[in-house]
Amino acid sequence: MPLRTRRLGAASLALAALAGFTVSLLSAQPAAAADPLRTLAAAKGKFIGTAVATSPLANETAYRTIAAQEFNQVTAENAMKWDSTEPNDNQYTFSGADQIVAFAQANNQIVHGHTLVWHQQTPGWVQSLSASAMKTAMLDHIATVVGHYANNPAVQSWDVVNEVFDENGGFRTSFWYNTLGSGFIADAFRAARAADPDAKLCINDYNVEGINAKSTAMYNLVSSLKSQGVPIDCVGFQSHLATQYGFPGQLTENVARFAALGVQVRFTELDVRIVLPADTTEINTQNQYYTNIINACLASTACPGVTIWGFTDKYSWVPDTFPSEGQALIYDANYNAKADYTAIATALGAGTGGGDTTAPSAPTNLTASGTTSSGTTLSWTASTDNTAVTGYDILRAPGASGGTFAVVGTSTSTSYADSGLAASSTYRYQVRARDAAGNVSAVSSTVSVTTLSGGGGPGGCSAVGTTQTQWPGGYVIQPVTVTNTGSAQITSWTVTFTLPAGHTITGSWNAVLTVSGQTVTAKNANYNGTLGAGASTSFGFQVARPTSDTALPSGYACAAP
Ligand code: 9MR
């Protein structure tokens, strides 16, 4: 019997409630094959959510039942938008929003607030305000709407700004941007934090799932906001996918680069539309896209969960916007679960007795080498697992003690080169392993790294490599010019650089080279280590490479103790 038919009964829902069916997102309990999506997701430490609309929530039992049984997170599809909550200046109405929050609380669901500052569904009175009045209206709106739910434990996160980029990575020339400039973004986040210090605050957009101009603009903005101390906690990849456009490229790498900034990555509005009529190939593609997104979330500790933009094709936004497209959701218009439902359940571990719940062993023998003024290379001994280790998270904390470890990158090998570090600074690193089911090992022991002093002060140096000649199969780098950029004499120097894979050093002069993986360390010879302030020396080397390869070394960095 199909799972969903059995689960639609009101009686079974009541029984589940009597049995104390509660959400614990971090439950480690294995889920059984017939479990609803929310139970499967919770067993993985994730949420699985849906957008909900007020009208069917009030009027249709089947809609309510599925929304309650299958999901442990909800987002208001429209009810928390500006035109719903503040249609006229300073006249707030929370009836629809409160209806959804009450439903969530009754069903042990968490709520994501959507959305505070957007160029759509914002009343005309806001759009025509002067700059100072618009800013005041924005800050007041955020304070009031976020404040309304600040003491409600169900409401845990907000889309603070929505869709602020155009497709080329420029700021969207919305009335917000045109009137206030890009500063409205930081102002909005600060206001939201002031209104609810505990809520996770997100920036949300579409077509940012893969690596492209728009997602790179988003990355640069989040990076810049973080460096200015603007309170931002999460990035929402809306994930309105379409089978005719292919799956977003480099999704995993994109998730990892945002995770390395220390923000969560959420899939906030997932759906996969098809040009109608849908054929089997398109439906299979759609199943695969749903699977891919769930897997991407399972594979990243930065991803707390996935929200689908509704669940039934009966109420999808897609046909309204793209009249020849549809069937984008996981239930059909008659509330029958589609193959997409099964794809998601399977990705979440259904049918495997709860899936693999055995975590890999912790990585051991974590060491750092090749430390320069701005980077270091970590290596460790591989973890073991009952299935297979799929990758490692690299965690870093600032300083010799205290601070918080945050994921700064991932690796699928047993080494990782970290870069962008401050000179003369101490960092601590740990590594943990992941498997395909999303199980995460304990962290390794901690290794502490102190970077060398950089240029500018006493003992700084720089290195610039010049390609003297190259041919199919090899090249000569001469000179690598080492300059004392500090204000005092140095008595030794160390240059590091990265050798492309498959290249072999066949000779060197005026320095002592050692190679570890792709990192080459060149130390001064016994006759050219001493350089007065501003003085230079040089060394060189020759390399063999595959004849088809034109790559050259990169990342020259110099350190002088
Ligand atoms: O699904 C929403 C639909 O009911 C509304 O009419 C529409 C109005 O613009 O907004 C839809 O939701 C959007 C979301 O709020 C932001 N990202 C894109 C979504 C689909 O358009």
Side-chain angles (χ1 to χ4, degrees):
M1 174 166 54
L3 310 177
R4 66 280 338 186
T5 315
R6 180 149 55 80
R7 280 196 243 104
L8 276 182
S12 66
L13 181 61
L15 275 178
L18 281 176
F21 177 71
T22 57
V23 182
S24 169
L25 290 184
L26 295 174
S27 153
Q29 298 302 311
D35 282 324
L37 299 180
R38 62 184 289 171
T39 307
L40 297 166
K44 302 289 189 197
K46 307 286 179 181
F47 67 72
I48 182 81
T50 181
V52 287
T54 51
S55 171
L57 200 64
N59 299 319
E60 288 189 50
T61 305
Y63 186 96
R64 262 197 308 280
T65 303
I66 295 173
Q69 272 184 202
E70 296 293 340
F71 303 99
N72 53 11
Q73 183 272 337
V74 295
T75 302
E77 185 172 359
N78 289 300
M80 291 188 182
K81 292 172 181 172
W82 195 311
D83 61 355
S84 297
T85 52
E86 192 190 4
N88 300 301
D89 190 2
N90 216 23
Q91 287 180 12
Y92 289 91
T93 61
F94 290 103
S95 51
D98 285 351
Q99 175 202 344
I100 288 170
V101 172
F103 176 84
Q105 288 187 286
N107 293 293
N108 293 309
Q109 294 166 318
I110 56 174
V111 179
H112 177 67
H114 173 85
T115 177
L116 297 167
V117 183
W118 191 25
H119 61 282
Q120 288 189 32
Q121 289 173 284
T122 302
W125 68 264
V126 182
Q127 304 189 29
S128 54
L129 294 172
S130 68
S132 67
M134 188 181 288
K135 183 171 172 182
T136 301
M138 181 186 84
L139 298 179
D140 179 71
H141 182 81
I142 292 171
T144 306
V145 176
V146 176
H148 184 74
Y149 296 108
N151 294 321
N152 188 319
V155 182
Q156 300 193 353
S157 53
W158 283 95
D159 287 329
V160 177
V161 299
N162 194 38
E163 302 174 3
V164 300
F165 291 107
D166 65 28
E167 299 309 290
N168 300 322
F171 283 113
R172 179 190 293 277
T173 50
S174 66
F175 67 86
W176 292 113
Y177 179 83
N178 291 343
T179 311
L180 297 175
S182 62
F184 81 88
I185 297 170
D187 290 339
F189 276 95
R190 291 193 175 103
R193 180 67 98 230
D196 184 353
D198 300 322
K200 297 276 187 215
L201 304 180
C202 307
I203 183 169
N204 191 48
D205 217 321
Y206 58 88
N207 289 350
V208 293
E209 298 76 24
I211 292 189
N212 56 39
K214 192 173 183 181
S215 68
T216 299
M218 174 84 103
Y219 174 85
N220 290 336
L221 175 65
V222 174
S223 175
S224 152
L225 292 173
K226 293 281 283 184
S227 69
Q228 295 165 58
V230 176
I232 180 167
D233 308 305
C234 33
V235 170
F237 293 0
Q238 291 185 6
S239 307
H240 291 295
L241 307 181
T243 58
Q244 73 270 29
Y245 298 134
F247 193 76
Q250 298 178 281
L251 174 70
T252 306
E253 292 83 351
N254 198 30
V255 171
R257 68 174 174 162
F258 279 100
L261 292 177
V263 289
Q264 291 182 336
V265 177
R266 293 159 171 250
F267 296 93
T268 51
E269 304 184 13
L270 173 62
D271 51 19
V272 186
R273 61 186 189 268
I274 298 176
V275 176
L276 301 176
D279 64 25
T280 310
T281 306
E282 288 164 324
I283 288 170
N284 289 340
T285 300
Q286 181 184 48
N287 296 166
Q288 190 61 52
Y289 288 10
Y290 271 110
T291 300
N292 292 351
I293 295 288
I294 298 292
N295 282 343
C297 185
L298 289 174
S300 174
T301 53
C303 178
V306 175
T307 307
I308 304 167
W309 204 238
F311 54 90
T312 167
D313 289 336
K314 186 172 182 181
Y315 295 117
S316 169
W317 69 287
V318 167
D320 295 337
T321 304
F322 305 100
S324 58
E325 299 175 45
Q327 296 185 16
L329 291 169
I330 67 172
Y331 286 78
D332 70 17
N334 296 313
Y335 296 111
N336 298 306
K338 295 156 58 176
D340 306 299
Y341 175 100
T342 312
I344 292 174
T346 304
L348 290 172
T352 56
D356 170 23
T357 55
T358 304
S361 65
T364 53
N365 299 321
L366 178 64
T367 55
S369 63
T371 302
T372 65
S373 59
S374 62
T376 191
T377 300
L378 303 169
S379 48
W380 57 90
T381 301
S383 298
T384 56
D385 186 56
N386 62 322
T387 57
V389 171
T390 53
Y392 296 89
D393 297 327
I394 290 77
L395 299 95
R396 189 179 72 204
S401 62
T404 309
F405 279 93
V407 175
V408 292
T410 59
S411 171
T412 52
S413 69
T414 54
S415 67
Y416 179 80
D418 199 19
S419 59
L421 304 177
S424 306
S425 302
T426 300
Y427 298 88
R428 284 163 298 142
Y429 289 92
Q430 298 170 337
V431 177
R432 68 187 176 206
R434 285 179 280 104
D435 67 16
N439 299 303
V440 178
S441 77
V443 293
S444 67
S445 58
T446 304
V447 66
S448 185
V449 171
T450 300
T451 53
L452 304 179
S453 60
C461 61
S462 66
V464 178
T466 304
T467 306
Q468 184 182 71
T469 177
Q470 53 179 319
W471 59 94
Y475 52 87
V476 171
I477 305 294
Q478 163 67 25
V480 181
T481 302
V482 179
T483 303
N484 178 357
T485 55
S487 54
Q489 175 178 282
I490 58 174
T491 55
S492 67
W493 46 261
T494 303
V495 172
T496 55
F497 56 91
T498 303
L499 197 62
H503 293 207
T504 313
I505 294 190
T506 54
S508 65
W509 46 95
N510 296 337
V512 180
L513 271 55
T514 52
V515 182
S516 169
Q518 302 313 126
T519 303
V520 182
T521 302
K523 290 190 178 300
N524 59 275
N526 59 12
Y527 49 85
N528 62 0
T530 298
L531 293 173
S536 295
T537 187
S538 69
F539 68 96
F541 56 97
Q542 181 168 332
V543 178
R545 66 182 172 190
T547 47
S548 56
D549 190 353
T550 57
L552 292 165
S554 60
Y556 293 93
C558 183

